[in-house]
Amino acid sequence: MAKQKGLIKLKGTLSDVTFYKSQDGYIAREKGSLDGDRIRNDPAFQRTRENMSEFGRAGKAGKLLRNSLQALLINAADSRMVSRLTQSMMKVIQADATNERGLRNVIDGEAELLAGFEFNIKGKLGTCLYAPYTGAINRVTGVITLDIPPFVPINMVAAPAGATHYKITSAGADVDFEAETFTVTTSETAILPWDATLTAAISQSNAVTAASTKPLFLAVGMEFFQQVNGQMYPLKNGAFNPLALTAVSGMP
């Protein structure tokens, strides 16, 4: 793979070279020589077909999880989040010790491996919120909670330059990767000042399906704002808003 240089940026295919624009700039890549039918049928590509099957499954599972958290993700995600989440889903699938290669899936894998996943590399929860918090998943009641004791924002929140206010959000999600359905509940604080005043305790409760047998997720995030003439404006269109999976409960 090579990068294009010069004033004229090409797009399309010329001879055996494909030109296109990516997040890394204008790229030139030699056209592949493998025939699709051969990949689908040649015994020599059995491992390739197995990898492709599981990669597709990971991509579909990642999309379903993203859809379940869309209400929070719309304000907190980086440009490579989709590919990073797919890679993490691949690790979940590869941890499936029940099914043979090519048939491994998220349900029989280790969904707990997704705990700690950051949806926005530009603004990680672990480097924005230093106040201690507790996340809990009660599978019996279906209640997914976030509790934060009182804290001083200016000491415990690393706000990006220009921020004057913030809010804390959370979501509880019950995701059925087989049926491709989900149940989700979200919570958020009011928009709070980023100052030296001690906050009240924060307690958020997100109810999903009681006694669920599907993977359950707790996502915690923040949004930053700038106050101008009494109006609140999202800071830099949410470029530095963090969102992370802080607790995951796989199959019971």
Side-chain angles (χ1 to χ4, degrees):
M1 182 176 69
K3 289 188 177 181
Q4 298 183 59
K5 296 181 68 175
L7 297 176
I8 300 176
K9 306 301 183 183
L10 301 177
K11 290 184 180 180
T13 300
L14 180 63
S15 186
D16 290 330
V17 180
T18 299
F19 301 87
Y20 63 97
K21 184 180 181 180
S22 75
Q23 297 170 357
D24 300 313
Y26 287 86
I27 305 297
R29 184 175 62 186
E30 187 176 8
K31 184 179 179 181
S33 59
L34 282 177
D35 179 79
D37 186 65
R38 183 183 175 193
I39 293 177
R40 287 189 294 271
N41 299 290
D42 192 331
F45 288 92
Q46 178 63 28
R47 297 286 85 82
T48 300
R49 289 193 292 273
E50 293 168 355
N51 291 338
M52 290 173 60
S53 176
E54 293 185 350
F55 185 80
R57 203 168 291 125
K60 183 178 291 187
K63 181 179 180 180
L64 184 63
L65 180 58
R66 296 197 313 273
N67 287 346
S68 73
L69 301 175
Q70 184 60 29
L72 303 187
L73 266 181
I74 195 171
N75 296 315
D78 64 75
S79 61
R80 299 185 185 276
M81 179 271 292
V82 173
S83 60
R84 291 192 298 104
L85 182 57
T86 300
Q87 290 175 354
S88 294
M89 280 293 186
M90 276 297 293
K91 294 179 181 178
V92 172
I93 288 173
Q94 289 167 350
D96 176 359
T98 301
N99 299 291
E100 62 185 48
R101 182 170 171 165
L103 298 176
R104 293 177 296 185
N105 57 72
V106 174
I107 294 299
D108 296 312
E110 295 291 338
E112 287 83 358
L113 293 174
L114 294 171
F117 181 83
E118 297 275 1
F119 289 94
N120 188 3
I121 291 298
K122 295 179 181 179
K124 296 182 180 180
L125 183 66
T127 57
C128 290
L129 180 62
Y130 293 103
Y133 60 86
T134 302
I137 296 176
N138 189 320
R139 185 172 288 278
V140 175
T141 63
V143 177
I144 301 174
T145 57
L146 170 68
D147 291 289
I148 310 176
F151 64 92
V152 177
I154 204 167
N155 294 336
M156 292 295 182
V157 174
T164 61
H165 290 72
Y166 69 98
K167 69 179 176 181
I168 295 176
T169 60
S170 69
D174 172 5
V175 183
D176 187 335
F177 291 101
E178 291 178 306
E180 299 183 21
T181 60
F182 59 82
T183 301
V184 63
T185 303
T186 62
S187 302
E188 62 181 33
T189 65
I191 297 179
L192 306 171
W194 185 60
D195 58 16
T197 303
L198 186 70
T199 69
I202 295 172
S203 181
Q204 297 182 349
S205 180
N206 303 298
V208 291
T209 308
S212 173
T213 60
K214 307 303 179 183
L216 303 178
F217 301 87
L218 169 63
V220 178
M222 301 183 70
E223 296 181 28
F224 293 104
F225 302 86
Q226 185 177 75
Q227 185 177 34
V228 178
N229 296 329
Q231 297 293 318
M232 294 295 176
Y233 297 90
L235 187 67
K236 296 182 179 178
N237 294 321
F240 301 106
N241 292 343
L243 180 67
L245 294 175
T246 60
V248 180
S249 174
M251 300 292 288

